[in-house]
């Protein structure tokens, strides 16, 4: 029920790539066998119904019957960074789509510090955040190792076990590129199968250069452009 492509089209004017895992598709060890989750209200409805969530009273809200007491309605809060108009718009799009299909989302805007604390303290229903990377080798320990869950780190979802921890630790010392690529792709498949998150998009960097400048080259690392390389267009004598 997360409208990833709609978010890319509306918020970023189409300048984004849907994600399937935690590695950039521009890296050689990206697992291109994984398909982004996609938006499918029909599939979501089947999954929810198979778990007991149905709109039994016709009020537009999914609920699950309990042995005693009132049925449990499907409601939760979405925490996100309140300081960005972009994240506000994304949160609104997610809320609108989920509410439309009986999943009641209440927006919970937080300051950057409060959002990070909520994630590290595991005090949230659903949390939206962003992570950046580099052009170098990926190190999954901060985001995906169980030590980063028990130690109040950035593994907000609680993903992982001894097997995935061992793979993460081994990746940090493996020097053979062919072996490391296989390990990277295996790890991406494990995250994909467990589905601890709903990936949104990899951003396409947008850089504008005046036509009077030339010798421009684009780079993966921020800011994506080496200013010293730019030079004025040579003038004819």
């Amino acid at each position: 029920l997360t409208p990833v492509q709609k978010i890319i089209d509306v918020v970023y004017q189409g300048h984004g790539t849907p994600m399937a895992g935690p590695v950039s598709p521009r890296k050689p060890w990206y697992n291109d066998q994984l398909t982004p989750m996609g938006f499918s209200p029909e599939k979501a409805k089947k999954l929810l119904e198979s778990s007991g969530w149905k709109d039994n009273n016709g009020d537009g809200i999914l609920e699950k019957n309990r042995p005693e007491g009132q049925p449990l309605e499907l409601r939760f809060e979405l925490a996100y960074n309140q300081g960005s108009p972009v994240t506000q718009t994304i949160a609104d799009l997610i809320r609108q789509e989920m509410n439309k299909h009986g999943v009641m989302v209440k927006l919970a805007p937080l300051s950057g510090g409060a959002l990070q604390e909520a994630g590290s303290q595991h005090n949230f229903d659903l949390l939206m955040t962003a992570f950046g990377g580099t052009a170098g080798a990926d190190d999954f320990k901060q985001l995906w190792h169980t030590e980063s869950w028990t130690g109040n780190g950035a593994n907000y979802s609680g993903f992982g076990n001894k097997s995935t921890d061992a793979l993460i630790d081994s990746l940090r010392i493996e020097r053979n590129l062919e072996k490391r690529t296989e390990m990277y792709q295996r790890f991406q498949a494990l995250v994909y199968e467990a589905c601890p998150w709903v990936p949104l998009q990899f951003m396409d960097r947008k850089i504008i250069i005046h036509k009077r400048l030339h010798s421009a080259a684009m780079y993966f690392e921020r800011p994506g452009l080496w200013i010293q390389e730019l030079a004025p267009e040579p003038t004819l004598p």
Side-chain angles (χ1 to χ4, degrees), residues 74-111:
L74 187 52
R75 297 177 179 272
F76 58 84
E77 290 187 347
L78 169 59
Y80 62 97
N81 190 338
Q82 67 182 2
S84 168
V86 169
T87 55
Q88 177 66 56
T89 302
I90 294 174
D92 278 330
L93 291 171
I94 293 173
R95 176 186 59 80
Q96 292 168 14
E97 206 60 61
M98 291 194 174
N99 287 5
K100 188 188 305 181
H101 299 284
V103 181
M104 295 297 103
V105 176
K106 179 182 178 182
L107 300 185
L110 300 173
S111 67

Side-chain angles (χ1 to χ4, degrees), residues 207-218 224-225 230-231:
I207 298 174
I208 299 175
I209 301 173
H210 197 282
K211 65 181 180 181
R212 69 182 178 85
L213 300 173
H214 68 106
S215 302
M218 304 294 107
L225 180 72
L230 295 177

Side-chain angles (χ1 to χ4, degrees), residues 121-174:
Q121 296 294 324
H122 321 142
N123 183 27
F124 62 91
D125 296 331
L126 184 68
L127 182 145
M128 180 173 67
T129 188
F131 296 104
T134 72
D138 288 285
D139 185 353
F140 298 125
K141 188 147 190 175
Q142 180 183 10
L143 300 183
W144 299 105
H145 202 285
T146 58
E147 288 180 6
S148 194
W149 165 262
T150 57
N152 296 330
N155 181 1
Y156 298 157
S157 70
F159 167 85
N161 51 42
K162 291 182 178 180
S163 178
T164 56
D165 284 353
L167 183 55
I168 291 171
D169 292 336
S170 297
L171 269 166
R172 305 184 91 195
I173 58 175
E174 178 58 61

Side-chain angles (χ1 to χ4, degrees):
L1 289 178
T2 305
V4 175
Q5 191 58 53
K6 185 176 182 179
I7 290 170
I8 294 173
D9 292 340
V10 172
V11 180
Y12 302 104
Q13 293 80 51
H15 296 286
T17 304
M19 295 172 59
V23 171
S24 167
R26 295 177 176 84
K27 291 189 174 182
W29 48 86
Y30 172 70
N31 190 337
D32 59 6
Q33 300 302 305
L34 305 179
T35 304
M37 190 178 302
F39 176 71
S40 176
E42 296 78 13
K43 185 176 181 180
K45 181 179 179 181
K46 291 179 181 179
L47 288 169
L48 288 164
E49 286 184 350
S50 68
S51 298
W53 295 101
K54 297 180 180 180
D55 182 11
N56 296 309
N57 57 12
D59 64 352
I61 304 174
L62 299 179
E63 64 263 351
K64 179 182 287 190
N65 291 325
R66 294 186 286 185
E68 66 284 332
Q70 295 293 321
L72 177 65
E73 292 186 336
L74 187 52
R75 297 177 179 272
F76 58 84
E77 290 187 347
L78 169 59
Y80 62 97
N81 190 338
Q82 67 182 2
S84 168
V86 169
T87 55
Q88 177 66 56
T89 302
I90 294 174
D92 278 330
L93 291 171
I94 293 173
R95 176 186 59 80
Q96 292 168 14
E97 206 60 61
M98 291 194 174
N99 287 5
K100 188 188 305 181
H101 299 284
V103 181
M104 295 297 103
V105 176
K106 179 182 178 182
L107 300 185
L110 300 173
S111 67
L115 186 70
Q116 183 177 359
E117 182 178 0
S120 62
Q121 296 294 324
H122 321 142
N123 183 27
F124 62 91
D125 296 331
L126 184 68
L127 182 145
M128 180 173 67
T129 188
F131 296 104
T134 72
D138 288 285
D139 185 353
F140 298 125
K141 188 147 190 175
Q142 180 183 10
L143 300 183
W144 299 105
H145 202 285
T146 58
E147 288 180 6
S148 194
W149 165 262
T150 57
N152 296 330
N155 181 1
Y156 298 157
S157 70
F159 167 85
N161 51 42
K162 291 182 178 180
S163 178
T164 56
D165 284 353
L167 183 55
I168 291 171
D169 292 336
S170 297
L171 269 166
R172 305 184 91 195
I173 58 175
E174 178 58 61
R175 298 175 64 89
N176 182 281
L177 180 58
E178 184 176 346
K179 290 181 180 179
R180 198 166 69 239
T181 296
E182 184 278 327
M183 294 163 69
Y184 271 133
Q185 295 185 344
R186 180 153 42 98
F187 182 79
Q188 292 169 70
L190 291 170
V191 174
Y192 185 87
E193 182 180 359
C195 198
W197 64 342
V198 178
L200 295 180
Q201 76 279 342
F202 290 103
M203 294 302 303
D204 292 336
R205 184 168 291 126
K206 297 168 283 293
I207 298 174
I208 299 175
I209 301 173
H210 197 282
K211 65 181 180 181
R212 69 182 178 85
L213 300 173
H214 68 106
S215 302
M218 304 294 107
Y219 299 98
F220 188 93
E221 300 292 353
R222 293 181 182 276
L225 180 72
W226 193 18
I227 302 297
Q228 290 90 330
E229 288 185 325
L230 295 177
E233 189 70 33
T235 57
L236 295 175

